[in-house]
Amino acid sequence: MAGKRHRGWRTFLTNKYLKDKEIFFVEYDPEYPVKYAIFITEEEWVAFVAQRRDENFKKVSATNRERASNPTYAYKKGRLGYARLEEKILDETKSDATSLPPHVLWKEARVGKDGTVRDDVQHIYDECETLSQSISTAEDQENRSVLSRALNVPEYPGRVRGKGHGCTPTSLYKNPRRRNPSNQEVMETLQALQAQVLQLQKDNERYMCMEKCSSQLKETSEKASINCQNKFPEGISSCQLYLSSPTYRLVGKGKVHNTSGDLLHHRPLPDGHLKVSVDVVLDKDALLPIPDIVSETTLLRDAIGSFVAWPLDLIFIDDETPTKPASKDKGILRHNESVASQKEVFAQGSQQLSQKIGSRQKNKRDLPVTYLPKKGAFVPRYQISLETLVDSSDMATAGAIRLLDMEEDIFGYSCTETIGKEDLEHIFRHQELGVGVIHTYIRFLYDNFMRGNDQLSNRFRFVSSSLVNKALICREPDSCREYLVKRFMASSTNNLYLWPYNSGCHWLLLAIDPLKEVVYFLNSIDGEWTNYPDMKQLVDTSIKVFRSQRQARVPRTKSSNITWIKVQCPLQRNGIDCGYFVMRFMREIINMNQIEIPITYFDEYKCAHYTRLQLEQIKEELCQYFIEKRLISI
């Protein structure tokens, strides 16, 4: 509309000041229109006069004037206009449509008062009908309309032919206006492409490595045994892990398990490989020689604390580390203790220890004994008893498992937790814990604290680490969010949801109060929640969806202010104890029976670090629970 008014204004100035009564251009210089000085400067007037007197302009103007005076397809609706004509047709036909196709409206605008249609107009209309059957809406929108194609004329930008003044492609097709991407969007796209290229390079390295391993396996003699390789000492030995592609390098440290008949995740090991537990990663981008199909793990850093298959020629034994003895010493082996435990006095000699244990075998229902009456030395009674049971049962065979039923009230769904020999070995040797052990301790807390106690069972709930963890958050964020929201919707009162979260190589605890929209962050390595952006985004989104589903009204200024509180909890002094810390955190929170966790932690349990004895209490409770539930029997 503004453009049309501006063109009319310039035509008015031309006719009034530059032409005479016969509509011819005057020869003299026209007078500057002082009347319109507020709109036009003298410099603009001089340029305007020169432009209008230009011969090229006069030629174009004459051509357009002649074409407009004798149109090929004359418009015959006077001052009615396309818009009012369209409205009139829709009213007369009582149609539910909101608009007419451009070629239909174009034809109706050229029907005379007698109702006759010229043959050439009808021909164009028929051709439009034919084209509309073969051209999609996207082609009509992005290129030229069927009317422009039938008329064989160019389409001008900013208008739709046959729709009249004011109708634009954007308003007709409802397509968003295109714009050039911002610098930030360009950088984000570039970063995404770089990440894809890096991932493709890693996948290519992994493929080449697997191809090399396969070729090496084909060259291996058929007489090579699967386990108990001669070049490795029998039992468990500390080792260094190497990779040969793309460069030969040390990538991590762990323990090689050279045991006859050993299995990996209940499956036979590939030829030319041994089972290795990963303890330390030196190359964070290193790929596993053979990806773990059970946990869908491809990176070495994601396999910390678990078992993987490793090629024989890339495993090197640490000479200074002794192999596993034939007869097990009761208690934690010295070389497998945590850093904290090595600084404290542990158990006495095996003979003296067995005598003291024997004197207490009469009372099998006693609570875990943490201290001996006289010397004060710690005796892991239930750990020793459970280890003896394991050695005497089928669990001594690698690959044996036990199943522990998890009731629906624990995680919001009924399931079965699998406990393998590896999980028990992690407890006995004080190694990093898997999700099976963490969930078993949650079942212990539920049975011994919450079952039959309505106050605790209505106040505290748990989130399954099997359904919400780092791998699933990255791969299936929607299912993780749906589970959390469903878990939050299960209660109508204030609840504290305890969620042991595994970031891939570290356990931490989240305590979530969804009604108050408060998240307590307990991390035993003093890290920030900003170090786990995927986890934080999932929790924030789940709380917002929960807020929406319960139709809670929150001020607009506070709609995104979900409160995260970093609790100053006890800190670990090594890279092993995170799982044990998380279990003790949950026990102490339930024992205090408080929804709100103080920022400085509970005064009753406040300390800089948990001692080895405090962690051994947790392990004793676990082992006692295994025995009492008769999960391990001879």
Side-chain angles (χ1 to χ4, degrees):
M1 180 63 73
K4 185 177 181 180
R5 292 291 180 87
H6 184 252
R7 289 193 297 272
W9 164 251
R10 293 168 68 90
T11 302
F12 164 76
L13 292 176
T14 302
N15 294 335
K16 183 174 178 60
Y17 293 97
L18 302 184
K19 294 182 180 181
D20 55 17
K21 295 180 180 180
E22 286 76 21
I23 315 299
F24 293 107
F25 280 91
V26 297
E27 298 295 336
Y28 57 86
D29 291 335
E31 182 181 356
Y32 171 67
V34 181
K35 181 179 179 180
Y36 305 111
I38 189 173
F39 303 117
I40 309 171
T41 64
E42 293 186 10
E43 292 79 6
E44 291 173 340
W45 175 253
V46 172
F48 172 73
V49 172
Q51 186 259 345
R52 291 285 166 159
R53 285 182 170 179
D54 184 74
E55 293 300 325
N56 291 331
F57 175 81
K58 291 180 180 180
K59 183 177 180 180
V60 172
S61 179
T63 302
N64 291 338
R65 186 163 48 252
E66 182 181 359
R67 186 174 65 237
S69 63
N70 187 27
T72 306
Y73 308 99
Y75 177 84
K76 297 188 176 184
K77 295 301 179 182
R79 298 176 60 86
L80 185 62
Y82 280 101
R84 288 191 289 270
L85 174 62
E86 184 177 40
E87 184 178 353
K88 179 182 177 181
I89 295 173
L90 293 175
D91 289 340
E92 291 176 353
T93 58
K94 297 182 180 181
S95 174
D96 295 332
T98 58
S99 64
L100 296 173
H103 67 278
V104 175
L105 194 59
W106 179 86
K107 172 191 172 184
E108 293 295 331
R110 283 151 183 82
V111 176
K113 292 182 179 180
D114 57 356
T116 60
V117 182
R118 287 170 41 183
D119 292 341
D120 54 351
V121 173
Q122 185 64 41
H123 174 72
I124 295 297
Y125 175 79
D126 294 340
E127 188 173 350
C128 289
E129 285 290 310
T130 303
L131 287 173
S132 63
Q133 303 298 323
S134 59
I135 298 178
S136 64
T137 303
E139 291 177 315
D140 187 5
Q141 174 180 348
E142 296 295 335
N143 198 345
R144 292 191 301 163
S145 64
V146 293
L147 182 57
S148 298
R149 294 169 187 267
L151 292 173
N152 194 24
V153 293
E155 188 65 273
Y156 296 95
R159 80 170 198 182
V160 178
R161 185 178 296 274
K163 276 293 186 178
H165 179 74
C167 183
T168 64
T170 300
S171 61
L172 179 64
Y173 299 111
K174 306 298 182 182
N175 62 324
R177 180 175 296 178
R178 294 182 177 180
R179 63 179 181 85
N180 293 329
S182 63
N183 291 338
Q184 181 179 358
E185 292 173 339
V186 171
M187 292 303 299
E188 290 177 353
T189 303
L190 180 60
Q191 292 175 0
L193 292 175
Q194 290 175 342
Q196 293 179 9
V197 172
L198 180 60
Q199 184 62 41
L200 289 174
Q201 291 175 346
K202 291 182 179 180
D203 292 343
N204 183 56
E205 292 178 4
R206 169 188 161 200
Y207 174 77
M208 296 300 295
C209 185
M210 293 178 65
E211 286 291 321
K212 183 176 181 180
C213 291
S214 299
S215 61
Q216 291 176 350
L217 292 178
K218 292 178 181 179
E219 297 173 359
T220 305
S221 172
E222 295 181 355
K223 296 182 179 181
S225 60
I226 296 178
N227 303 113
C228 289
Q229 303 295 333
N230 294 330
K231 62 176 288 189
F232 297 100
E234 184 177 355
I236 301 176
S237 307
S238 295
C239 65
Q240 298 178 353
L241 306 176
Y242 284 76
L243 285 180
S244 58
S245 176
T247 60
Y248 194 84
R249 66 201 188 280
L250 175 65
V251 295
K253 296 183 179 181
K255 296 178 180 64
V256 57
H257 296 248
N258 188 29
T259 308
S260 177
D262 208 354
L263 302 175
L264 179 64
H265 303 307
H266 320 305
R267 299 181 181 182
L269 283 165
D271 290 345
H273 289 66
L274 280 177
K275 184 168 75 172
V276 170
S277 59
V278 183
D279 296 333
V280 179
V281 173
L282 303 178
D283 184 351
K284 64 178 182 179
D285 295 325
L287 296 170
L288 291 175
I290 297 181
D292 189 347
I293 60 175
V294 176
S295 61
E296 299 183 358
T297 302
T298 58
L299 294 176
L300 180 62
R301 67 169 181 261
D302 295 331
I304 293 180
S306 61
F307 292 92
V308 296
W310 207 271
L312 295 173
D313 57 342
L314 298 177
I315 302 175
F316 293 88
I317 298 298
D318 287 339
D319 295 333
E320 67 277 7
T321 304
T323 59
K324 180 178 178 181
S327 61
K328 298 180 182 178
D329 183 21
K330 305 306 179 182
I332 300 177
L333 298 180
R334 292 297 298 169
H335 66 275
N336 284 331
E337 288 182 24
S338 65
V339 175
S341 64
Q342 292 177 5
K343 296 181 179 181
E344 302 178 16
V345 178
F346 191 53
Q348 302 175 3
S350 58
Q351 181 179 2
Q352 183 181 1
L353 179 61
S354 60
Q355 293 176 355
K356 292 179 178 178
I357 293 174
S359 64
R360 294 185 174 270
Q361 291 298 321
K362 298 178 181 179
N363 262 331
K364 294 185 178 180
R365 296 183 177 271
D366 289 347
L367 292 176
V369 177
T370 306
Y371 295 98
L372 289 178
K374 296 181 180 180
K375 298 290 184 179
F378 173 75
V379 178
R381 281 186 53 193
Y382 289 99
Q383 293 182 55
I384 296 173
S385 300
L386 181 61
E387 194 169 1
T388 303
L389 284 174
V390 169
D391 291 340
S392 304
S393 68
D394 63 325
M395 289 292 287
T397 304
I401 61 172
R402 291 292 186 271
L403 301 179
L404 178 63
D405 293 332
M406 307 294 286
E407 302 175 19
E408 183 177 357
D409 291 341
I410 300 177
F411 293 131
Y413 68 100
S414 58
C415 60
T416 302
E417 195 63 54
T418 302
I419 306 298
K421 180 187 177 183
E422 299 167 354
D423 296 313
L424 299 176
E425 288 288 341
H426 291 167
I427 300 173
F428 301 150
R429 309 303 163 207
H430 199 84
Q431 298 171 349
E432 289 194 8
L433 303 178
V435 65
V437 176
I438 301 294
H439 280 186
T440 301
Y441 192 76
I442 288 177
R443 173 65 190 271
F444 160 78
L445 294 175
Y446 180 80
D447 286 344
N448 289 272
F449 290 87
M450 302 168 63
R451 187 186 298 278
N453 189 328
D454 294 338
Q455 185 182 25
L456 290 178
S457 60
N458 291 330
R459 178 166 291 184
F460 299 101
R461 296 173 184 263
F462 300 99
V463 174
S464 172
S465 301
S466 298
L467 291 188
V468 192
N469 52 55
K470 180 182 178 181
L472 286 176
I473 291 175
C474 297
R475 190 170 64 249
E476 302 175 11
D478 292 340
S479 64
C480 294
R481 183 183 64 253
E482 290 174 3
Y483 169 68
L484 282 180
V485 174
K486 182 179 179 181
R487 199 76 184 102
F488 295 159
M489 293 293 292
S491 59
S492 57
T493 58
N494 280 94
N495 294 112
L496 197 64
Y497 288 83
L498 303 180
W499 173 22
Y501 173 71
N502 193 309
S503 65
C505 57
H506 175 64
W507 286 101
L508 55 87
L509 180 66
L510 296 179
I512 307 173
D513 186 342
L515 283 178
K516 292 184 178 180
E517 300 187 353
V518 176
V519 182
Y520 298 97
F521 181 78
L522 292 85
N523 192 353
S524 58
I525 60 173
D526 197 27
E528 301 290 339
W529 60 73
T530 53
N531 297 334
Y532 311 93
D534 295 334
M535 174 268 293
K536 184 181 185 301
Q537 182 180 4
L538 172 69
V539 174
D540 289 346
T541 304
S542 301
I543 292 179
K544 291 177 182 178
V545 174
F546 169 67
R547 177 202 302 164
S548 174
Q549 290 191 6
R550 65 186 180 92
Q551 299 180 348
R553 296 184 178 181
V554 179
R556 184 174 298 179
T557 57
K558 298 182 179 180
S559 60
S560 60
N561 291 346
I562 297 174
T563 304
W564 283 72
I565 299 176
K566 180 182 178 181
V567 179
Q568 299 174 16
C569 55
L571 303 179
Q572 66 188 77
R573 293 178 287 189
N574 55 43
I576 299 174
D577 291 341
C578 55
Y580 304 98
F581 272 64
V582 165
M583 291 191 294
R584 189 166 183 94
F585 290 157
M586 291 191 293
R587 190 189 197 283
E588 292 172 349
I589 291 172
I590 295 175
N591 193 48
M592 292 304 300
N593 194 13
Q594 295 182 20
I595 292 292
E596 297 182 0
I597 303 176
I599 296 180
T600 58
Y601 205 57
F602 303 110
D603 292 336
E604 291 80 353
Y605 300 109
K606 187 180 298 184
C607 59
H609 313 280
Y610 286 139
T611 64
R612 181 188 58 81
L613 296 178
Q614 288 175 302
L615 299 183
E616 290 297 330
Q617 290 176 349
I618 302 298
K619 294 168 62 175
E620 279 288 88
E621 289 176 335
L622 257 176
C623 294
Q624 182 184 9
Y625 186 69
F626 276 111
I627 295 173
E628 291 181 347
K629 295 294 291 185
R630 298 185 181 276
L631 292 176
I632 312 298
S633 57
I634 301 176

